[in-house]
Amino acid sequence: MSIIRVLPVSLRNKIAAGEVVERPASVIKELIENSIDAGSTRIAVDTAHAGKRLIKVSDNGSGMEREDALLAFERYATSKIREEQDLFCISTMGFRGEALSSIAAVSKMKLATAPQAGIPGYDHQSSIGTCIEIAGGDIKEILECPASGTAIEVKDLFYNTPARRKFLKSDTTENYHIIDTITREAISHFSIGFTLRMDGAEALNLPSASSHKERLLQIYGKEFVDGLMETEVQDSRMSIKAFLSKTAQVRNNKAGQFVFINRRPVKDQSVTYAVYKAYEDRIPRDKHPLFFILLEMDPAKVDFNVHPAKREVRFEDKGSVFTFVHKAARTALMSQSAIPAPHPPIEENRVPADNSRTVSTGSQPVVTNAYEAYGDGAAHKALQMVSEHVDTLYSGSTPFLYLGDTLVAIPGRGGIIIMDYHAAHERINYERFLRRMDIRSCPLLFPQQVKLQTGDYRVILDNLQVLGEFGLEAEDFGHGAIIVRSLPEALRDADLGSLMSDVASALLNKDAGSAGAADSGKDLEPLDSRKRLIAARLACHSSIRGKEVPDGARLAALMKSLDAADNPNTCPHGRPTRIVISLGDLRKMFKK
């Protein structure tokens, strides 16, 4: 007796529904995408009890005649593709022909539709449409009814599959997913108006917008959008429009990260990883950027037929997509860093040697005593008063006020700069190490033996060649020890045991800050991440420490070098190097 059987159609449809319909938000996504493909300019969504009791999606799209309305509920029935080749050049949101049949199999559904004027293949426009009622996949009633466009009601989702229904989350959670789904579709299709009503109360009302930026303003508000950088790049193969958070607007979680490929909301590890790599060394590793990546490319170069719910894609050339996205994001972030600091050098405004100076107030010059005393008896430093008419300079020697730790306050044009001189020095040294600029290797008169833990020892041995590129020449001494024969001049006073252990630790954990990207993305990095990590650690150990307070001349040199850096506003670990408080900000603090 045969033990293999062909499953009945009703069970097949329920299995298919398990792949396509995960929760109420999945139903809404499929129905909205059908409305988009129908050319709708307005889409309305109504839900009751988080979509468990009712989901209704209405549109003003092309609609359907009776014959097509009936065929739409058959499995694999679709108007989107005709032949096999169409699967490899998909330009519509839907294409599989599974959505309506799968949803109908696990709910009570009602369809009301009528064709609009000017629709290819339809001979006329009629206000009399077709109304079809289905329960559990079986057609119960077909009637004529007044209709315009298409409206689909889905009631009692999973009523006939209670095992699936019990896995639904609370109404609050399901409502969150519904809002998130509609938000994603609304962002990528800004020219379509969307409304969402939940239990009769309006939750979203998004009129048709003229641009992606306007749609973001509608959803998130001006303050949110002002914290984003907008960039647009294209080449012969693809184009990208991206909105990226400024380095000061990062979050503690990954909320607010959106990727769209040909206007389809997807999740793609390589694109996400490319954005995170662009932020590398600009934000702390435990922080996450906000981003909206809208990538357009030849549909023949991307496969959407990977995931049943069409959430994932496969690129023909993943490496070129990664590089393109990374370059666009990096360029935007570098343009943010290129904002000139408010303290340009002005030669004629030097500080007098007697610790007093003339401050121009716009009328009579006023002589002020400005000084900074250190607890360790260091020399007095000049501190220039902040005025809207004062120009600050740091040619020769910079007036400053030591605040403690590694922080100093420096007067600037129309404001004041709080600088972390250790972080600033780190940034400067980091870029010098990466570029091999002014890196002189000094042989040690007495080569130094460094004993390491077993794990650190193996990692250092595996990276001796890379270390040598930075001027740190070492060789295996055996039994968990290495011999260091030369060092970069900037590291001549470094604690070699601490330095080598720190480098090894960074290399062992080099993927900890990759934001959970898939391993498949790590081989796409445009620059060897080991070199970045090593450069960051060497920069840290070669920079001014907290116990050392630089004088005005050294601070002037630091500020000049910092302004010349590619990314002067953060250290290699993503911490700020300086914070500028404008005179306007100070006035607000003093309620002026």
Side-chain angles (χ1 to χ4, degrees):
M1 179 179 174
S2 174
I3 61 172
I4 296 177
R5 289 176 284 184
V6 177
L7 295 174
V9 173
S10 60
L11 186 53
R12 278 183 259 168
N13 285 342
K14 287 180 181 178
I15 292 172
E19 296 178 340
V20 176
V21 184
E22 300 176 42
R23 59 189 349 138
S26 307
V27 174
I28 291 172
K29 178 180 185 295
E30 296 292 345
L31 296 182
I32 283 179
E33 290 182 348
N34 281 343
S35 296
I36 292 170
D37 285 339
S40 306
T41 59
R42 295 190 308 276
I43 300 174
V45 180
D46 290 86
T47 65
H49 288 273
K52 300 169 189 175
R53 180 172 296 176
L54 170 69
I55 295 170
K56 182 178 179 181
V57 177
S58 310
D59 66 57
N60 65 343
S62 57
M64 294 179 286
E65 288 190 333
R66 179 188 177 98
E67 182 181 356
D68 282 343
L70 288 168
L71 281 174
F73 291 97
E74 297 291 331
R75 287 200 71 191
Y76 312 122
T78 178
S79 62
K80 315 299 172 57
I81 59 175
R82 289 283 184 268
E83 54 190 26
E84 181 181 349
Q85 189 58 35
D86 293 341
L87 279 175
F88 305 102
C89 192
I90 295 168
S91 58
T92 54
M93 300 297 290
F95 56 88
R96 288 177 171 170
E98 293 181 84
L100 289 181
S101 64
S102 296
I103 297 167
V106 292
S107 68
K108 299 172 183 176
M109 179 182 283
K110 180 179 179 180
L111 166 72
T113 184
Q116 303 279 27
I119 303 301
Y122 295 151
D123 297 330
H124 64 280
Q125 175 188 9
S126 175
S127 61
I128 302 299
T130 303
C131 183
I132 302 173
E133 292 190 20
I134 300 177
D138 298 325
I139 296 178
K140 300 299 183 182
E141 193 172 28
I142 305 173
L143 300 169
E144 289 187 346
C145 63
S148 178
T150 300
I152 297 179
E153 291 184 11
V154 177
K155 295 181 178 179
D156 300 329
L157 185 63
F158 298 133
Y159 82 100
N160 56 350
T161 51
R164 293 292 307 280
R165 189 178 181 90
K166 74 178 183 180
F167 280 101
L168 293 179
K169 306 300 182 182
S170 67
D171 284 4
T172 300
T173 300
E174 297 301 338
N175 279 333
Y176 167 82
H177 287 288
I178 289 170
I179 293 171
D180 182 66
T181 295
I182 297 175
T183 298
R184 290 176 186 273
E185 299 290 356
I187 290 171
S188 59
H189 298 87
F190 61 83
S191 61
I192 299 176
F194 289 84
T195 59
L196 169 63
R197 288 181 292 270
M198 291 178 160
D199 297 312
E202 187 174 87
L204 280 176
N205 186 355
L206 305 173
S208 173
S210 60
S211 66
H212 289 104
K213 185 173 183 179
E214 184 180 345
R215 177 50 52 89
L216 293 178
L217 282 166
Q218 291 175 349
I219 297 171
Y220 298 104
K222 186 176 185 302
E223 184 178 353
F224 178 91
V225 174
D226 286 345
L228 300 176
M229 300 172 292
E230 181 179 358
T231 184
E232 193 166 0
V233 182
Q234 68 178 63
D235 62 15
S236 58
R237 300 165 300 166
M238 62 191 89
S239 65
I240 185 173
K241 177 181 268 300
F243 297 87
L244 306 161
S245 63
K246 298 174 183 177
T247 52
Q249 306 294 327
V250 293
R251 291 186 173 182
N252 294 324
N253 55 57
K254 297 179 184 178
Q257 298 181 350
F258 299 83
V259 176
F260 304 90
I261 310 296
N262 291 358
R263 299 195 299 172
R264 184 189 299 277
V266 299
K267 294 180 179 180
D268 185 78
Q269 298 282 13
S270 60
V271 173
T272 300
Y273 191 59
V275 177
Y276 269 92
K277 293 303 292 181
Y279 278 90
E280 190 176 52
D281 75 37
R282 294 171 183 270
I283 62 175
R285 289 189 175 186
D286 60 344
K287 301 298 182 182
H288 304 277
L290 300 161
F291 57 80
F292 301 82
I293 304 296
L294 299 112
L295 193 63
E296 295 286 335
M297 60 192 305
D298 184 349
K301 303 295 183 183
V302 57
D303 182 7
F304 293 105
N305 195 26
V306 177
H307 190 278
K310 298 167 290 197
R311 282 198 299 261
E312 299 173 7
V313 296
R314 183 183 295 118
F315 297 111
E316 182 180 86
D317 185 358
K318 184 164 65 173
S320 65
V321 173
F322 175 93
T323 302
F324 183 74
V325 174
H326 176 271
K327 184 178 180 181
R330 193 81 179 177
T331 301
L333 287 165
M334 289 180 68
S335 67
Q336 178 199 1
S337 300
I339 299 173
H343 42 69
I346 302 175
E347 188 67 28
E348 63 271 16
N349 205 20
R350 293 184 177 277
V351 179
D354 61 356
N355 280 345
S356 65
R357 103 195 136 281
T358 302
V359 178
S360 173
T361 61
S363 55
Q364 295 292 329
V366 179
V367 177
T368 66
N369 287 323
Y371 62 89
E372 206 293 316
Y374 300 113
D376 59 1
H380 292 298
K381 306 294 188 296
L383 171 64
Q384 181 173 334
M385 303 298 290
V386 177
S387 165
E388 45 190 329
H389 301 293
V390 174
D391 291 331
T392 303
L393 47 99
Y394 47 85
S395 56
S397 181
T398 295
F400 70 96
L401 175 67
Y402 178 64
L403 302 176
D405 194 13
T406 58
L407 302 176
V408 292
I410 301 167
R413 183 188 293 272
I416 194 166
I417 301 154
I418 310 297
M419 186 172 80
D420 182 336
Y421 55 78
H422 173 73
H425 203 196
E426 268 192 296
R427 164 54 61 180
I428 295 163
N429 286 336
Y430 172 68
E431 294 193 6
R432 284 176 176 169
F433 276 118
L434 278 184
R435 297 173 181 172
R436 312 297 194 273
M437 290 175 57
D438 304 325
I439 304 300
R440 289 179 289 178
S441 182
C442 302
L444 298 178
L445 183 60
F446 301 103
Q448 188 169 340
Q449 178 182 334
V450 180
K451 183 73 173 177
L452 298 167
Q453 294 182 3
T454 303
D456 295 350
Y457 170 67
R458 298 307 313 172
V459 171
I460 293 298
L461 289 187
D462 291 342
N463 290 276
L464 285 178
Q465 183 177 351
V466 182
L467 289 169
E469 295 179 25
F470 290 100
L472 199 159
E473 296 179 8
E475 60 186 54
D476 186 12
F477 191 69
H479 304 289
I482 61 171
I483 289 289
V484 179
R485 299 197 176 277
S486 67
L487 286 170
E489 186 177 8
L491 289 166
R492 61 184 181 273
D493 298 324
D495 179 345
L496 288 185
S498 174
L499 172 63
M500 301 309 292
S501 178
D502 201 14
V503 169
S505 176
L507 291 169
L508 280 169
N509 296 284
K510 74 185 187 73
D511 298 325
S514 63
D519 290 341
S520 58
K522 291 170 187 149
D523 59 348
L524 301 171
E525 296 182 15
L527 179 64
D528 190 337
S529 61
R530 292 180 304 162
K531 293 180 180 178
R532 287 190 178 277
L533 287 166
I534 292 171
R537 298 298 173 170
L538 297 183
C540 182
H541 284 265
S542 61
S543 299
I544 307 171
R545 295 298 198 178
K547 294 179 180 179
E548 180 183 0
V549 180
D551 58 19
R554 193 172 186 188
L555 277 178
L558 270 179
M559 295 177 74
K560 185 175 181 181
S561 297
L562 186 62
D563 281 344
D566 287 338
N567 180 26
N569 296 327
T570 58
C571 77
H573 311 296
R575 293 189 295 271
T577 58
R578 59 190 179 186
I579 295 172
V580 178
I581 304 174
S582 70
L583 192 59
D585 293 334
L586 291 170
R587 283 195 178 114
K588 289 178 183 177
M589 293 178 190
F590 284 96
K591 311 298 182 184
K592 291 188 175 182

